[in-house]
Amino acid sequence: MAHVPQTFLDALAVRTWCGLALESLGRAREEIDAINVYPVADGDTGTNLYLTVESAVAAVEAVFAGHEVEPARTGSPSLADAVRAMAHGALIGARGNSGTILAQLLRGMAQVLAADGETAHTDGPGLRLALRRAADSAREAVAHPVEGTVLSVASAAADAATGAEGDCGTVAQAAYEGARAALAATPGQLAVLERAGVVDAGGRGLVAVLAALVETFTGEAPRGVGALATGSGSGSGFGLGSGSGTYARGRQGPRDGGFGGTHARVETAEGGAARTRGESAEGGTPHARVEPGEIGVPLMDSGAGAFPGTDLERGASPRDDGSPLVSPVPGETAVPAHARDGSAVPGGLDDCADGPADHGGGGPAFEVIYLLEADDAAVARLRARLDALGDSLVVVGGDGLWNVHVHVDDAGAAVEAGVEAGRPYRIRITHFGLGDVHTTGGERPMRERVQRAVVAVVPGEGLAGLYTEAGATAVLARPGEPPASGELVDAVRRAHAREVVLLPNDPELRHTAAAAAEQARAEGIRVALIPTRSAVQGIAALAVHEPERRFDEDVVSMTSAAGATRYGEVVVAERQSWTMAGICQAGDVLGLIDGDVAVIGSDVTATAQTVLDRMIAAGGELVTIVLGDEAPEAIAEHLEARVRESYLAVDTVVYRGGRQGALLLIGVE
């Protein structure tokens, strides 16, 4: 896109730079994803950098839009306004390790450029100082810096800029050239890169961002930016810009997408194996154990109760968009077999690891990222605690708002540490899966797209863990904070599948989910939307999910299972209201069946029992109970006893849902 070259770095130049950086990363995204072998070969570095800059662009555009629509504001935003917005947008939208570090690089620049809020623009010397501060602050944010990563590239860019005399264009060009040279040297610094025949993916992304900075001031992209190539030799054999090739993509191969085959294990919150669905209890025992690696499968009427109008639109091949995001599971983290058996060896696997990833052991199973509102002292304590829990620790931000990134085996403990430090939110947990670079010493081939995935909206952390264990990508919906369609599209992309089944698990999310499905189809992903209205219907659908079946058959089976599940919930009324069961007052206990208030009571346990009795009266073989954090301690035991004593051949399974809004969710199949 043509633009007028900028002589100084002002607000308009910041806006131009952000836009050009987004375009540059958009062009290079799949290429960067393909060379992502370090620290985890999950093919998402390019996507993470793109989404981070996309958030920065949105924040900068919002500042300019504010000046255009508010008469009280005159002229354009100040340089301070623009760079602060850029840094803030990147901070709240940072994805992955590289995105988090990029956010801190931008924040470091903003600290210099916005120091004098009245300055309209800065020149070459000012840009030099900003680049220096950016590189230094990024290193300070990383617990254990390692050379051969984006940190090395950023430092080299700042060093080169420091020696440059002239205007902003000259300084930017010097920084770009220094970054390119440092990028070429990364395989000689990290053995995992040398073995794969690639350069560091995060560093490659930073080079693209600096190329956009050069173009901002000169009007032309620097020479060689489109021809960054790696050789297959070692050390000095990695020349950049001398040929027309692109980065070597490496060998293609499958990677576990979290399904663990067609039989994923489901556990109760207490760690016990779930009862096999449809298996009648004998001798008064309501539970039968499921062997590790299996999921209980319900016996469903494959016809009755199925939802009408299931969407089975077809699409072409999807884009490369990274790995699944899953929601937090405080204290109840699902850990894969290679971590549970003691083979996981924390350390040495990222820009913040203790050293190059050249060992043959395992590594942490989860990537945990969240925004955190906390003071400096609390964050200092959090750094120490998270550093002891895992590796790849990066904490960026300041002034009360932080972005926390860490690789751990116990994702719940990492989230709980954030809760103790302040208020964590936008929590994202990525399961690296089995057999990735952690367990292969960096020689894992690039993962291929899985054939099919399930994306589900869930109302609580415990349910998120349950869905994740069963192989789904969970999107957390906190009470009063439903996900937007963009969040669902992002989850579909990161599921990294050719076919996706989308479970909204809430009637109010039907249209949001439909919009997300349409957008994903436009990107070439085949998406089927099953209009589940409750998380217990989603559990039933997920239990019969078979990725090996034909897509249409799988969707029909899942739809039938969900439709055959009646759902209820127990909540506390927030205000006086008219209901199907009469007038309720604030504080009354409400029992809902299939979305309508059926019982108004004063006692949670009694109301729950009435709801349960009415639901089972219509028939059923399995009762699913999901407890919220505020549910009475003895209610699950009471309801299980009620089912066992009053209803023959009806089994009960209980899960803990966490902060799910409702005191209790009930499903009857």
Side-chain angles (χ1 to χ4, degrees):
M1 180 182 296
H3 70 278
V4 178
Q6 306 291 311
T7 304
F8 298 101
L9 182 60
D10 57 10
L12 182 58
V14 171
R15 184 187 199 183
T16 301
W17 177 32
C18 288
L20 290 173
L22 188 64
E23 292 178 9
S24 181
L25 287 171
R27 291 189 297 269
R29 181 179 59 81
E30 291 189 4
E31 182 180 297
I32 296 172
D33 282 345
I35 64 169
N36 176 201
V37 300
Y38 179 88
V40 180
D42 53 358
D44 65 355
T45 294
T47 297
N48 287 338
L49 290 169
Y50 179 88
L51 292 173
T52 301
V53 174
E54 185 179 48
S55 182
V57 168
V60 173
E61 290 299 323
V63 168
F64 275 84
H67 279 261
E68 293 171 359
V69 300
E70 294 186 23
R73 298 186 182 185
T74 58
S76 298
S78 67
L79 173 62
D81 290 337
V83 295
R84 285 172 182 155
M86 173 186 70
H88 181 74
L91 177 68
I92 64 174
R95 305 294 182 91
N97 187 70
S98 294
T100 306
I101 292 175
L102 177 60
Q104 187 67 5
L105 288 167
L106 297 180
R107 177 177 172 80
M109 293 186 70
Q111 288 175 329
V112 172
L113 299 174
D116 182 355
E118 302 302 318
T119 301
H121 62 261
T122 193
D123 52 12
L127 181 58
R128 288 201 304 268
L129 292 175
L131 291 170
R132 179 77 272 162
R133 177 57 189 151
D136 293 345
S137 64
R139 281 188 176 269
E140 292 166 4
V142 170
H144 305 289
V146 167
E147 300 307 321
T149 66
V150 64
L151 296 177
S152 303
V153 176
S155 294
D159 291 343
T162 300
E165 297 292 337
D167 59 14
C168 287
T170 302
V171 173
Q173 183 69 44
Y176 168 74
E177 294 295 343
R180 288 178 77 241
L183 180 64
T186 56
Q189 296 171 296
L190 278 179
V192 62
L193 301 179
E194 186 173 28
R195 286 195 299 268
V198 297
V199 293
D200 180 66
R204 166 66 177 94
L206 179 58
V207 169
V209 171
L210 290 173
L213 185 63
V214 174
E215 188 175 356
T216 298
F217 296 118
T218 65
E220 297 181 356
R223 294 183 60 185
V225 69
L228 297 172
T230 63
S232 58
S234 62
S236 60
F238 289 82
L240 292 173
S242 59
S244 59
T246 57
Y247 284 113
R249 289 184 175 270
R251 297 166 294 185
Q252 297 295 319
R255 174 179 178 268
D256 189 324
F259 286 101
T262 59
H263 300 288
R265 186 174 59 86
V266 176
E267 291 186 345
T268 63
E270 292 79 9
R275 181 194 54 75
T276 304
R277 293 171 173 265
E279 196 171 295
S280 298
E282 297 182 6
T285 303
H287 297 282
R289 294 305 227 187
V290 178
E291 293 302 316
E294 296 182 348
I295 184 172
V297 180
L299 291 175
M300 291 287 184
D301 180 350
S302 60
F307 289 107
T310 300
D311 205 336
L312 301 177
E313 293 294 326
R314 299 175 181 272
S317 297
R319 303 185 306 178
D320 264 328
D321 280 329
S323 59
L325 283 180
V326 266
S327 302
V329 195
E332 300 175 8
T333 306
V335 181
H338 76 280
R340 285 194 299 269
D341 66 12
S343 61
V345 181
L349 285 173
D350 211 339
D351 299 310
C352 41
D354 296 315
D358 199 22
H359 60 75
F366 296 93
E367 176 186 61
V368 179
I369 305 175
Y370 49 81
L371 293 179
L372 177 70
E373 293 178 356
D375 58 36
D376 291 0
V379 170
R381 293 191 297 270
L382 176 66
R383 287 179 192 268
R385 181 171 177 186
L386 292 180
D387 194 26
L389 283 176
D391 64 23
S392 298
L393 175 60
V394 186
V395 181
V396 304
D399 302 321
L401 180 62
W402 309 82
N403 191 305
V404 179
H405 170 283
V406 68
H407 292 178
V408 293
D409 279 329
D410 190 346
V415 175
E416 288 173 347
V419 172
E420 292 179 5
R423 188 178 81 90
Y425 59 103
R426 292 194 185 180
I427 304 168
R428 298 175 184 274
I429 301 176
T430 302
H431 177 207
F432 290 129
L434 305 180
D436 59 20
V437 72
H438 287 305
T439 57
T440 60
E443 296 181 337
R444 177 73 179 176
M446 304 294 182
R447 74 175 178 120
E448 290 181 351
R449 193 180 307 278
V450 298
Q451 180 62 31
R452 191 173 308 153
V454 177
V455 173
V457 180
V458 292
E461 295 91 340
L463 277 174
L466 175 67
Y467 272 73
T468 302
E469 276 280 287
T473 296
V475 180
L476 187 66
R478 295 189 181 281
E481 300 179 18
S485 62
E487 293 178 69
L488 298 186
V489 172
D490 182 49
V492 169
R493 290 170 180 157
R494 288 178 171 272
H496 203 61
R498 298 179 179 87
E499 302 165 341
V500 171
V501 180
L502 183 57
L503 306 175
N505 290 338
D506 186 336
E508 295 185 2
L509 288 177
R510 174 71 188 275
H511 297 299
T512 300
E518 285 298 323
Q519 183 174 342
R521 290 187 196 109
E523 298 176 5
I525 305 172
R526 189 181 184 189
V527 180
L529 170 61
I530 299 178
T532 48
R533 292 166 287 183
S534 171
V536 291
Q537 289 187 327
I539 292 172
L542 191 58
V544 299
H545 168 54
E546 289 286 353
E548 304 305 319
R549 277 193 299 227
R550 289 179 59 249
F551 186 58
D552 292 356
E553 293 176 355
D554 197 29
V555 172
V556 168
S557 178
M558 295 176 70
T559 301
S560 177
T565 302
R566 301 190 71 195
Y567 64 98
E569 59 182 301
V570 177
V571 300
V572 176
E574 296 180 352
R575 58 185 178 277
Q576 185 185 62
S577 180
W578 289 87
T579 74
M580 295 287 289
I583 300 175
C584 71
Q585 305 295 329
D588 283 348
V589 180
L590 306 181
L592 289 79
I593 299 176
D594 292 338
D596 294 322
V597 176
V599 182
I600 299 176
S602 57
D603 180 75
V604 174
T605 301
T607 302
Q609 179 176 312
T610 303
V611 170
L612 180 61
D613 287 342
R614 292 190 185 183
M615 293 177 69
I616 299 180
E621 298 175 341
L622 173 66
V623 173
T624 300
I625 298 172
V626 183
L627 302 174
D629 278 350
E630 298 181 2
E633 285 295 327
I635 192 170
E637 183 178 346
H638 176 85
L639 295 178
E640 284 185 286
R642 174 68 176 176
V643 173
R644 183 169 59 250
E645 295 167 2
S646 302
Y647 303 98
L648 297 177
V650 177
D651 293 341
T652 307
V653 61
V654 179
Y655 303 112
R656 293 194 176 275
R659 293 169 289 180
Q660 62 186 20
L663 296 174
L664 203 69
L665 299 177
I666 302 174
V668 176
E669 307 169 20

